[in-house]
Amino acid sequence: MRDLVQRPEGTASTHCTAEQYDAMYRQSLANPDAFWLEQAQRLDWSTFPTKAGEWSFDPVDIAWYSDGSLNLCHNAVDRHLADNGDTVAFIFEPDSPDSPSRSLTYRELHSEVVRMANALKAMGVTKGDRVTLYMPMIVEGAAAMLACARIGAIHSVVFGGFSPEALAGRIEGCESRFIVTADEGLRGTKRVPLKDNIDAAIALLDANSPVDGVLVIRHTGGKIAMQDGRDHWYTDVASDADCPCVEMHAEDPLFILYTSGSTGKPKGVLHTTGGYAVWAAATFYYTFDYQPGEVFWCSADIGWVTGHSYVTYGPLLNGGTSVIFEGVPNYPDHGRFWDVIDRHKVNIFYTAPTAIRALMREGNDWVTSRDLSSLRLLGTVGEPINPEAWRWYYEVVGKSNCPIVDTWWQTETGGHMITTLPYAHDMKPGSAGKPFFGVQPLLVDNEGNPLEGAADGNLCITHSWPGQARTVYGDHDRFIEAYFSTFPGRYFTGDGCRRDEDGYYWITGRVDDVINVSGHRMGTAEVESALVLHPKVSEAAVVGFPHDIKGQGIYCYVTLMEGENTSAALTAELRQWVRKEIGPIATPDHLQFTSGLPKTRSGKIMRRILRKIAENDYGALGDTSTLADPSLVDRLIEGRQNR
Ligand code: WT7
């Protein structure tokens, strides 16, 4: 096969060779309890667990390490102080390259986290409380996550790009009475009005879900309103008082993270303490083959799970050095990523295919003009990577001597699930590779029949793993419905996937009504609900279509209320409306007005047809005979926007 790229040779300190992988993978399936109890030794426990997995997918009930107890902040920060207090934990690279960057040792991070934890306590936060974090990519964001973990509060990080409306839903959804934010964020030349958005979100909340405290970090110094009694400047309430780590049961909740599904509102995916920590620590260690002293940079925002597991927890649980980058790839110019790597001598760089494609398009000079010789390993995450972008990343960025790990996983999986290991597996551009330890993928056809060998099907996982989400916060039925009902007894990922003759997995994309826009997960139903909230809109159907840079773009079909007229102005208004309801990442790329949506006689929208038209591939629409109004199809094709 032409597309096999040989792995580099490892060194004596390589964590996993080909032989080790085979043996360990086999052991992880044959005796998962022994395997995961051994992996649990990566952490310091107050009480070491005697049990590993106790789970069932039917009925759905998942626990790991249930009789163990530990504190995650202790593991990420405090335990490194004795021997590695002077090791750099975080390198902060600000939005503007002209502003100073900042390094924090583990000792300095410890002080920051203690101050933050005391500030939370001063507002009244106690164990089990939910705390919403709405932060720019600054050290205080990660410190706030760790501070919550320290005192046993449950963090719910909401990406700073979400609108007040979306934010309000996520505050209300988990009845969070406390918020940590900053005055403003910076993204390139733009200021993000974080505190103003918080105020707007709180104004939208139901009177019986009040917010008691808002902790505000002064970042840009921009002017904001502070409400007496509710809003507190961080520096006013922070203190250096002793603040011990609270002992937590392994199954105590650690965080909630909202993510989109194929139906309804975003789900608050819940992760617990012990299993998640083992998963974040072990995947970081093996996938990146992390070596002490190396500088690791994951470009994701802490508002996504990638930022949770590979900006904050994974690196720190391994005593590593992690870069926190506030800016964007194209400011002040298209060489910014490569500048950051050059400036901080980054050894391991982990980013999304959409960023790679966007930078590839700007030409090689941006890359070759920087010294990237510190790089040892590259990673991608978030969506399938097309082989051209893979090649460019490998050859131009990695100079053909850095292995690439293409890591497939999800918010719900807590960390990597399918990926090559850099010194154990040869690479195939576009394939995520092999299952991580303990992960048992199963491909099934649409009826749920298992497919053996080389096959193409729906990707399920048959056995629980420590990092698995335990529930949807406050709605276990929804958890069961979303992940365990399509193929009973199995965790269904929502992804389509092919397994080749070598046992490599190739993710083919979502098979449900979720689309992946620039590596961000978006429920088409969410965009539809936003559209129909507009008084002039009667019905909406939203589908994804292939987009050169974003991977997928958002295509909306809209029918208007009786008597309303279509216009370019209304198109612009509706695009703006969706931005306001959800956030800029949900901005429709195309919006097509139509007199009706293609429905079956029983009223079900035929999305297959809408997808084909959005893809500009209307030659093969398949069977349209079940449509209530077959003539509609020609009118839809006629009015298509993606030409
Ligand atoms: C969905 C999960 C996990 C962190 C980022 C996204 C897609 C993720 C890959 C990959 C192909 C991928 C899947 C998955 N996805 N990584 N390496 N190759 N597809 O997390 O928002 O929970 O989205 O992202 O479709 O289901 P998320």
Side-chain angles (χ1 to χ4, degrees), residues 394-416:
Y394 186 72
E395 286 162 15
V396 180
V397 178
K399 319 293 182 221
S400 303
N401 59 33
C402 301
I404 295 182
V405 289
D406 175 348
T407 58
W408 174 85
W409 58 295
Q410 312 178 294
T411 304
E412 296 85 347
T413 72
H416 303 154

Side-chain angles (χ1 to χ4, degrees), residues 259 305-306 381-384 406-412 493 495 507 510 516 519 521:
T259 189
V305 74
T306 311
V381 57
E383 53 180 317
D406 175 348
T407 58
W408 174 85
W409 58 295
Q410 312 178 294
T411 304
E412 296 85 347
T493 63
D495 279 323
I507 306 296
R510 302 287 302 200
N516 193 323
R521 188 159 143 185

Side-chain angles (χ1 to χ4, degrees), residues 73 88 93 119 229 238 268 272 324 327 334 364 366 388 475 557 587 625:
C73 183
V88 173
E93 171 69 19
T272 56
I324 295 183
H334 300 291
N364 296 357
W366 296 108
E388 306 82 84
D475 196 349
Y557 296 88
T587 312
S625 62

Side-chain angles (χ1 to χ4, degrees), residues 601-614:
R601 283 180 202 99
S602 63
K604 195 170 175 312
I605 295 177
M606 292 183 75
R607 290 170 178 279
R608 179 175 53 82
I609 292 175
L610 294 176
R611 274 188 216 112
K612 286 279 182 195
I613 296 173

